């Protein structure tokens, strides 16, 4: 299996630094890395095939001849600035030439009959939905990095490979407290970790997508407070830990 239920990993590079990782990816062994690489490679090939199918459908449409005639007329008129300059590497003409070359190959000859048999109103939505499904990440990770004297940083990965990692750093002087909150979800109660930020009304939810189990949440709470405030902690921190322990019982 390439994914698993959310579980907690803890890294402690130093006594004043701790990183808490909630992940749905198993530990990265060599077979798992090879399997993930093979899956992403197959996804890339499938996405290229879908793009070729869309390009083949567009090439058979009347819009293709209109754009081609306009581009040829514009290219026939010499430019006074750079008459012999080649087109840019990632220009539309280069991309169109590469796709045409792929379609003229032996494997690419299979796409035009399929594109002509499918109506565009069915082909385009199905192709876009397939491209979105192929871009989804395998597994998900969310992190909490705690640096004593500096602050805390939350990180959440995007749903697709095109979404960047969303991070937020909260300096120590703005960290009000780290707490365990609870909310109703359906007919059950879910506990989640939050950071109270001074000067803000809304709480910052840690691990907002994966929502780990309560025992993992309490373990992160204790480790984050120990790293932030030291082993002793204050009365407020101890009271919060006792409250979280009562939730477990």
């Amino acid at each position: 299996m390439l994914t698993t239920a959310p579980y907690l990993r803890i890294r402690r590079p130093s006594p004043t630094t701790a990183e808490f990782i909630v992940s749905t990816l198993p530990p990265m062994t060599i077979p798992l890395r090879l399997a993930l690489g093979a899956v992403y490679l197959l996804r890339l090939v499938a996405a290229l095939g879908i793009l070729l199918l869309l390009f083949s459908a567009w090439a058979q449409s009347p819009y293709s001849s209109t754009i081609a005639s306009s581009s040829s007329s514009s290219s026939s008129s010499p430019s006074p600035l750079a008459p012999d300059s080649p087109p840019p590497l990632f220009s539309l003409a280069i991309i169109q030439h590469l796709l045409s070359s792929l379609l003229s190959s032996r494997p690419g000859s299979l796409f035009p009959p399929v594109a002509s048999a499918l109506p565009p109103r069915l082909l385009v939505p199905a192709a876009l939905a397939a491209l979105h499904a192929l871009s989804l990440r395998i597994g998900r990770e969310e992190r909490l990095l705690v640096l004593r004297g500096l602050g805390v940083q939350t990180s959440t990965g995007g749903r697709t490979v095109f979404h960047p990692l969303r991070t937020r750093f909260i300096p120590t002087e703005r960290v009000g407290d780290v707490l365990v909150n609870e909310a109703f979800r359906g007919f059950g109660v879910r506990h989640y970790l939050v950071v109270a930020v001074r000067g803000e009304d809304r709480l910052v939810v840690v691990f907002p997508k994966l929502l780990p189990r309560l025992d993992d949440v309490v373990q992160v709470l204790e480790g984050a407070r120990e790293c932030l405030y030291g082993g002793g902690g204050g009365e407020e921190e101890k009271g919060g830990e006792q409250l979280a322990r009562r939730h477990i019982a």
Side-chain angles (χ1 to χ4, degrees):
M1 296 293 292
L2 297 180
T3 59
T4 183
Y7 69 99
L8 176 65
R9 301 200 316 265
I10 301 177
R11 294 178 60 250
R12 293 186 180 273
S14 68
T16 60
T17 303
E19 185 177 26
F20 306 92
I21 306 168
V22 176
S23 174
T24 59
L25 285 173
M28 282 295 174
T29 60
I30 293 179
L32 180 60
R33 292 178 185 273
L34 293 176
L36 287 175
V39 170
Y40 278 116
L41 180 60
L42 290 176
R43 284 187 173 191
L44 182 61
V45 173
L48 180 59
I50 293 174
L51 292 177
L52 284 176
L53 189 63
L54 289 175
F55 178 75
S56 178
W58 174 80
Q60 299 176 29
S61 67
Y63 303 102
S64 173
S65 57
T66 305
I67 296 178
S69 60
S70 62
S71 61
S72 61
S73 61
S74 62
S75 62
S76 59
S77 59
S79 174
L81 297 178
D84 298 327
S85 61
L89 181 60
F90 295 102
S91 64
L92 183 60
I94 294 296
I95 296 176
Q96 185 176 356
H97 175 71
L98 290 176
L99 292 176
S100 300
S101 301
L102 290 176
L103 281 180
S104 61
S105 64
R106 190 169 184 178
S109 62
L110 302 174
F111 292 96
V114 178
S116 61
L118 295 175
R121 64 179 179 272
L122 176 63
L123 174 62
V124 174
L128 294 179
L131 288 175
H132 176 72
L134 291 173
S135 67
L136 295 177
R137 293 182 184 271
I138 300 176
R140 172 170 266 179
E141 281 191 353
E142 294 181 316
R143 299 169 180 255
L144 173 67
L145 178 64
V146 183
L147 303 168
R148 184 184 302 174
L150 294 178
V152 299
Q153 176 177 285
T154 61
S155 303
T156 302
R159 184 174 175 80
T160 67
V161 295
F162 301 107
H163 288 88
L165 185 69
R166 290 174 295 180
T167 61
R168 180 180 179 182
F169 182 77
I170 306 172
T172 302
E173 58 270 13
R174 296 196 59 194
V175 176
D177 203 353
V178 183
L179 305 167
V180 175
N181 207 348
E182 61 182 17
F184 290 97
R185 188 175 184 180
F187 294 100
V189 179
R190 296 300 302 265
H191 298 83
Y192 55 95
L193 194 69
V194 296
V195 178
V197 183
R198 293 189 176 96
E200 295 186 11
D201 296 332
R202 301 186 61 181
L203 301 172
V204 177
V205 181
V206 185
F207 316 127
K209 302 297 182 181
L210 296 179
L211 294 177
R213 300 173 302 174
L214 178 58
D215 52 350
D216 291 337
V217 170
V218 174
Q219 189 176 359
V220 175
L221 171 70
E222 295 175 348
R225 282 179 165 176
E226 179 184 359
C227 190
L228 272 177
Y229 309 114
E235 293 298 327
E236 182 181 359
E237 287 76 14
K238 292 179 181 178
E241 291 177 4
Q242 293 172 1
L243 176 61
R245 292 180 187 275
R246 285 200 298 271
H247 281 314
I248 297 179

